[in-house]
């Protein structure tokens, strides 16, 4: 049996192996609390026995003949039992709640750590809202069960065992009357559980969909407002929320019926003991005190079973959530780290691509990509990079240009091993990227994406991201190289200014320059700039170009650009089209190629073609 096929409770038990001793101690406290909790009915029975039988009571048979002494003994026992019950209730609550918090903390961190190490393709196939539902809602649901449900189950089992033993000891002739409803209740509970399981699974699935919708809408709130689409989006959220409500109602309709049905079964057992036990007292075959114990114990035995529905409800919700958490933890990455160590300080920066092919396919959890569709027809995944070979010498400034969709950005993602190539080899200083430790590879490369992401925090924190211990002087130096220092100092609090979520308080050009400063501070031997000047004005672009000339000294620099003016001074320019290398050379050489792709792009961007037509 694979891990994914195992019962979620078994998986949870295996996962919490470090806490088994704590679970054992907490379970012991739960059991002891319930034992003390069940003692008062025995004391009531003994008190009735003392009052009715006096010198002929059970305590008198043990040598205590004085009625007042018997009552004082019962008073002392009552105090001890109530104190013991209170003590163990405190201890089990303390242990179960702390245990729930610790496991919740561990599983959330493990799930998050595992998630952030998965392939980029995984995140392209999953919504952030769905992942948030697992990492937050499902983990919290599991915590609620560990906090309350586990103790409830243990105490219920203790109640059944202890009271069953008392009944057999006091009145074996009628003990079966109390025990008889229990198999029916347990059978009914299991039937309810089996029917509830798929309903809760569907409900948890819908939570992820709803969270995804809300997350996307909040992320795109500017677009919603600009198109006055608030009513439209409210309707869309309403559809998903209503679906969640419907699925929840399906589960509630079944779980709500449990207690009323179980109560009717309990009534039968209680009436049986009430009548049969009373008849035995009348016939002098059962003591009045023992009859009192039976009546109270019947209620104490059967009535808690009405909570079994709530406990199972909590259990099913927790197991549905556990299944989703474990499914996430079981998801495997297809881009795996190599074993070869290559410190960034030793990297020269030579990059070689040999017959590289890359075919995009969606992330597959089962370890392989489907080759056939549901109808049985072959699936054709798009080829993004096609038989590409090129070399960038160490310390060289290279440019990758081409029209939209040519494969420029994809090439950079392959260099960082966000994806693995389908065929061929990519080498860094002669080392196959697949053989290198991923952390070493990415430490050696500074990447400035066209899709700049800033974290909610200060300007200083965002520049120092990834180089967290950098002193302020180095942060300022990096900002100056990125032509960012001047505008940063004009912000309300300078480097301590909060940039907002995704840097929304800054302009696109400002975010781009902070991202560039972040890469400069990292001081990598290889610097990759993906449309690093796409969101800046001409003046800022010129300033960044001056910075790049200084930054590029002593390191390999790769520039992806639509604006050819930003790469005209590159040592070599590679021109891609449909994932293939079509041209390469210096700017002057490529411009001189009549009918060439680069020459055509240059003419369009400089207006030479239009001027010639005039």
């Amino acid at each position: 049996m694979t891990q994914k096929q195992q019962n979620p409770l078994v998986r949870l038990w295996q996962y919490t192996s470090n806490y088994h001793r704590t679970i054992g101690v907490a379970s012991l406290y739960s059991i002891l609390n319930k034992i003390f909790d069940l003692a008062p009915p025995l004391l009531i029975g003994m008190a009735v026995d003392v009052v009715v039988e006096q010198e002929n009571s059970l305590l008198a048979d043990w040598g205590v003949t004085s009625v007042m002494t018997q009552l004082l003994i019962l008073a002392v026992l009552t105090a001890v039992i109530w104190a013991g019950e209170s003590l163990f209730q405190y201890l089990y609550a303390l242990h179960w709640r702390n245990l729930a918090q610790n496991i919740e903390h561990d599983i959330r961190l493990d799930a998050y750590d595992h998630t952030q190490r998965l392939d980029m393709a995984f995140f392209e196939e999953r919504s952030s809202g769905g992942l948030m539902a697992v990492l937050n809602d499902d983990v919290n649901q599991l915590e609620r069960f560990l906090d309350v449900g586990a103790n409830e189950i243990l105490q219920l089992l203790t109640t059944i065992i202890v009271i069953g033993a008392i009944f057999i000891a006091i009145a074996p002739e009628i003990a079966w009357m109390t025990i008889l409803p229990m198999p029916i209740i347990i059978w009914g509970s299991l039937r309810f559980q089996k029917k509830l399981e798929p309903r809760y699974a569907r409900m948890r699935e819908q939570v992820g969909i709803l969270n995804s919708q809300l997350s996307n809408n909040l992320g795109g709130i500017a677009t919603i407002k600009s198109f006055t689409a608030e009513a439209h989006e409210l309707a869309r959220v309403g559809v998903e929320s209503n679906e969640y409500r419907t699925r929840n109602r399906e589960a509630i309709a079944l779980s709500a019926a449990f207690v009323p049905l179980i109560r009717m079964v309990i009534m039968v057992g209680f009436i049986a003991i009430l009548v049969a036990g009373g008849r035995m007292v009348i016939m002098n075959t059962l003591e009045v005190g023992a009859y009192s114990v039976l009546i109270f114990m019947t209620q104490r035995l059967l009535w808690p079973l009405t909570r079994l529905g709530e406990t199972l409800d909590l259990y099913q919700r927790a197991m549905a959530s556990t299944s989703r958490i474990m499914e996430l933890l079981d998801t495997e990455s297809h881009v795996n780290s190599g074993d070869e160590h290559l410190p960034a300080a030793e990297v020269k920066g030579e990059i070689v691509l040999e017959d590289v092919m890359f075919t995009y396919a969606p992330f597959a959890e089962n370890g392989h990509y489907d080759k056939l569709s549901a109808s049985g027809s072959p699936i054709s995944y798009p080829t993004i990079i096609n038989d590409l070979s090129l070399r960038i010498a160490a310390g060289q400034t290279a440019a990758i240009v081409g029209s939209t969709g040519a494969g420029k950005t994809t090439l950079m993602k392959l260099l960082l091993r966000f994806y693995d190539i389908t065929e061929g080899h990519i080498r860094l200083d002669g080392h196959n990227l697949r053989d290198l430790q991923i952390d070493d590879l990415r430490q050696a490369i500074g990447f400035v994406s066209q899709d700049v992401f800033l974290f909610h925090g200060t300007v200083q924190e965002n520049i120092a991201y990834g180089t967290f211990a950098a002193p302020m002087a180095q942060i300022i130096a990096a900002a100056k190289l990125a032509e960012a220092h001047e505008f940063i100092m004009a912000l309300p609090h300078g480097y301590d200014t909060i940039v907002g979520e995704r840097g929304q308080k800054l302009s696109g050009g400002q975010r781009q320059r902070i991202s560039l400063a972040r890469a400069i501070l990292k001081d990598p031997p290889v610097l990759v700039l993906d449309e690093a000047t796409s969101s800046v004005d001409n003046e800022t672009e010129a300033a960044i170009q001056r910075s790049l000339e200084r930054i590029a000294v002593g390191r390999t620099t790769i520039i992806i650009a639509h604006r050819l003016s930003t790469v005209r001074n590159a040592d070599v320019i590679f021109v891609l089209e449909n994932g293939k290398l079509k041209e390469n050379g210096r700017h002057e050489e490529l411009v001189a190629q009549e009918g060439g792709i680069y020459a055509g792009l240059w003419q369009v961007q400089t207006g030479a073609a239009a001027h010639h037509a005039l």
Side-chain angles (χ1 to χ4, degrees), residues 383-562:
T383 298
I384 310 299
I385 303 296
N386 193 355
D387 195 26
L388 180 61
S389 296
L390 58 84
R391 176 180 178 274
I392 302 172
Q396 198 172 42
T397 297
I400 310 291
V401 302
S403 58
T404 301
K408 306 183 297 296
T409 298
T410 299
L411 185 59
M412 295 306 99
K413 291 179 179 179
L414 294 177
L415 181 60
L416 283 156
R417 285 200 74 198
F418 288 166
Y419 305 90
D420 263 342
I421 59 177
T422 308
E423 296 179 21
H425 302 282
I426 302 179
R427 303 184 189 278
L428 174 63
D429 290 351
H431 302 273
N432 193 317
L433 297 193
R434 290 180 184 268
D435 298 332
L436 294 175
Q437 295 179 13
I438 286 182
D439 286 351
D440 283 353
L441 172 65
R442 293 173 183 167
Q443 282 292 333
I445 299 174
F447 183 53
V448 180
S449 172
Q450 59 182 320
D451 182 21
V452 176
F453 187 94
L454 299 184
F455 295 89
H456 182 75
T458 66
V459 172
Q460 176 186 340
E461 290 168 344
N462 273 279
I463 294 177
Y465 190 82
T467 317
F468 302 104
M472 193 64 198
Q474 291 183 13
I475 293 173
I476 293 173
K480 287 180 177 179
L481 274 175
E483 300 288 338
H485 178 72
E486 186 175 339
F487 89 77
I488 291 173
M489 294 308 295
L491 295 173
H493 303 288
Y495 283 85
D496 292 325
T497 301
I498 300 295
V499 302
E501 189 173 2
R502 297 185 66 92
Q504 61 186 353
K505 293 184 178 181
L506 304 178
S507 70
Q510 290 173 332
R511 291 197 297 269
Q512 198 106 43
R513 281 178 279 174
I514 287 177
S515 178
L516 180 60
R518 182 161 59 194
I520 293 170
L521 183 63
K522 184 180 179 181
D523 192 26
V526 178
L527 181 62
V528 177
L529 306 171
D530 185 6
E531 301 289 353
T533 59
S534 63
S535 299
V536 298
D537 54 37
N538 292 332
E539 182 180 351
T540 305
E541 179 186 344
I544 291 178
Q545 283 298 116
R546 293 192 298 270
S547 299
L548 289 178
E549 292 176 5
R550 298 191 296 271
I551 298 165
V553 176
R555 79 179 83 238
T556 302
T557 305
I558 303 174
I559 304 172
I560 298 174
H562 280 298

Side-chain angles (χ1 to χ4, degrees), residues 3 25 137 160-162 184 186 231 252 289 297 344 370 380 525 554:
Q3 283 190 325
V25 172
D137 295 347
I160 293 171
I161 294 170
V162 171
I184 301 173
I186 294 172
I252 292 171
M297 283 298 188
D370 295 329
S380 179

Side-chain angles (χ1 to χ4, degrees), residues 249-431:
R249 280 175 175 172
E250 291 174 358
I252 292 171
L254 189 60
S255 62
F258 179 81
V259 173
L261 292 175
I262 294 302
R263 184 182 283 114
M264 300 309 295
V265 178
I266 291 172
M267 176 193 68
V268 174
F270 188 80
I271 290 174
I273 290 296
L274 183 70
V275 174
R279 182 171 178 274
M280 291 178 68
V281 172
I282 294 171
M283 296 176 64
N284 294 321
T285 57
L286 184 67
E287 298 294 334
V288 174
Y291 178 62
S292 300
V293 171
L294 291 178
I295 291 295
F296 281 110
M297 283 298 188
T298 300
Q299 188 268 343
R300 295 296 294 274
L301 172 63
L302 297 179
W303 190 248
L305 292 174
T306 60
R307 294 203 306 272
L308 188 59
E310 297 176 13
T311 304
L312 286 176
D313 185 81
L314 196 61
Y315 171 81
Q316 277 306 140
R317 289 174 183 264
M319 291 305 101
S321 292
T322 299
S323 295
R324 284 161 55 85
I325 296 168
M326 294 303 169
E327 181 182 351
L328 177 60
L329 288 171
D330 289 337
T331 303
E332 298 178 358
S333 177
H334 304 306
V335 179
N336 298 310
S337 179
D339 298 324
E340 195 173 335
H341 182 49
L342 182 64
E346 298 178 10
V347 174
K348 301 290 191 298
E350 182 193 45
I351 298 169
V352 178
L353 280 71
E354 302 172 351
D355 305 319
V356 170
M357 302 278 291
F358 175 68
T359 300
Y360 173 79
F363 187 86
E365 294 180 24
N366 55 8
H368 64 274
Y369 298 110
D370 295 329
K371 301 185 185 307
L372 298 177
S373 66
S375 62
S377 59
I379 298 177
S380 179
Y381 295 117
T383 298
I384 310 299
I385 303 296
N386 193 355
D387 195 26
L388 180 61
S389 296
L390 58 84
R391 176 180 178 274
I392 302 172
Q396 198 172 42
T397 297
I400 310 291
V401 302
S403 58
T404 301
K408 306 183 297 296
T409 298
T410 299
L411 185 59
M412 295 306 99
K413 291 179 179 179
L414 294 177
L415 181 60
L416 283 156
R417 285 200 74 198
F418 288 166
Y419 305 90
D420 263 342
I421 59 177
T422 308
E423 296 179 21
H425 302 282
I426 302 179
R427 303 184 189 278
L428 174 63
D429 290 351
H431 302 273

